[in-house]
Amino acid sequence: MARSRRSVLASLAAAAGLSGCSGVVERLPDDGSALEERVRTAAEAAGDQVDGRDPPTEPFDEATRERASETGRQIRDSVVVLETDRRRGTGWAVGDGQIVTNAHVVLGAPSMSVETFDETTGTAERVGYYEDMRPDLALLETDVSVPTLSLGDSADLEYGDPLITVGHPGRLGKWLITLGRFYRRPRGIDWLLSTVPVQQGNSGGPLVTLDGDVVGVVSGSTTGGDRPDFSKNDTAFTELPETEGETTAVPEGTLEESLSEWR
């Protein structure tokens, strides 16, 4: 599908994603508070267009928690830390030597350092991204090898379906597995909304079903405070300190369109 599919509000979706990368907002050319207000207004307008259901809050049974933890452990070898001296984000392998992340993670950074779960390090070069963050996606090529994740179909998601991500939320650590539920896909904004807990640093991470298929790229997160380091924990967290609101993600269909332009 052509780029015309992207919503006129996609720029606001991208702006929301800016809060998901550690230390990015204060370095934007525009005023961050003004951007956040525009995003809130757009999100509220989108919320008025759905059926009025609240975000799903049903607790997870032990079997689902165990499966989420298992899936998270399986996919985290494909998830990397992307970092410069001023910011950190998350990426994941979509092909041999190819890493997906958010456009706002790579803004002003044509190259970034890469760290894998087994602590292999290398570099990644930006080969495709949208400077206007419409959509908030980027592709990098790297000299490190990590397993590729498969893409699923977000159209198959139903309200309340379990979803996970693996990423590097702020000061909480690296390769944290978090578990939540699919909420909705609001009209007018190219988002998937879920209750998967994320914070600064999760930007660019994969939004994954319990089968291990990627259905989105995490783009929005909330800010947390100083907390203990939970790096490489083997269980799936269902909440993180000081998180609020919903997590936004760019759908995998939009990612596929972008990859067809860059490859």
Side-chain angles (χ1 to χ4, degrees):
M1 192 176 296
R3 188 170 180 175
S4 58
R5 169 185 170 184
R6 297 170 195 152
S7 165
V8 294
L9 292 177
S11 60
L12 300 182
L18 294 172
S19 65
C21 178
S22 295
V24 173
V25 172
E26 62 269 28
R27 285 185 286 278
L28 292 175
D30 296 318
D31 177 72
S33 60
L35 285 172
E36 290 173 3
E37 180 60 32
R38 291 168 59 202
V39 171
R40 280 193 294 270
T41 300
E44 290 169 0
D48 291 341
Q49 300 174 22
V50 296
D51 59 13
R53 285 186 294 185
D54 292 329
T57 58
E58 181 184 357
F60 295 100
D61 58 31
E62 188 60 30
T64 301
R65 289 172 178 267
E66 290 179 359
R67 187 177 177 194
S69 298
E70 179 181 1
T71 300
R73 291 192 295 268
Q74 291 172 349
I75 70 170
R76 64 187 177 185
D77 284 341
S78 301
V79 177
V80 301
V81 180
L82 297 171
E83 198 163 15
T84 67
D85 59 349
R86 300 183 69 184
R87 73 182 67 171
R88 183 173 80 188
T90 300
W92 51 279
V94 72
D96 185 22
Q98 295 184 322
I99 299 295
V100 165
T101 189
N102 289 146
H104 77 257
V105 171
V106 303
L107 281 176
S111 65
M112 307 187 77
S113 68
V114 177
E115 179 187 354
T116 68
F117 184 75
D118 66 4
E119 300 183 354
T120 299
T121 58
T123 59
E125 303 293 328
R126 189 180 68 200
V127 295
Y129 81 115
Y130 301 108
E131 189 172 3
D132 61 1
M133 295 174 289
R134 294 185 295 175
D136 193 2
L137 295 171
L139 181 67
L140 301 91
E141 289 184 350
T142 181
D143 55 357
V144 299
S145 178
V146 288
T148 298
L149 294 180
S150 60
L151 298 182
D153 188 349
S154 59
D156 293 335
L157 292 175
E158 297 183 358
Y159 176 86
D161 282 349
L163 295 171
I164 67 169
T165 193
V166 175
H168 322 299
R171 299 177 179 88
L172 298 180
K174 303 176 184 177
W175 289 279
L176 264 67
I177 307 164
T178 54
L179 167 66
R181 295 186 183 277
F182 175 68
Y183 180 19
R184 66 192 189 204
R185 185 171 182 167
R187 294 190 296 272
I189 304 179
D190 198 18
W191 278 349
L192 302 176
L193 297 182
S194 74
T195 63
V196 178
V198 295
Q199 289 188 4
Q200 289 185 341
N202 274 108
S203 289
L207 187 66
V208 182
T209 67
L210 296 191
D211 291 328
D213 295 322
V214 178
V215 290
V217 183
V218 173
S219 58
S221 64
T222 56
T223 301
D226 294 330
R227 297 291 174 179
D229 188 332
F230 300 123
S231 294
K232 301 182 180 179
N233 196 292
D234 285 340
T235 60
F237 290 83
T238 56
E239 58 182 342
L240 293 174
E242 300 183 27
T243 56
E244 59 185 38
E246 289 82 55
T247 293
T248 65
V250 180
E252 94 295 331
T254 304
L255 171 61
E256 289 182 302
E257 297 169 16
S258 300
L259 292 176
S260 69
E261 296 180 21
W262 296 329
R263 286 173 164 172

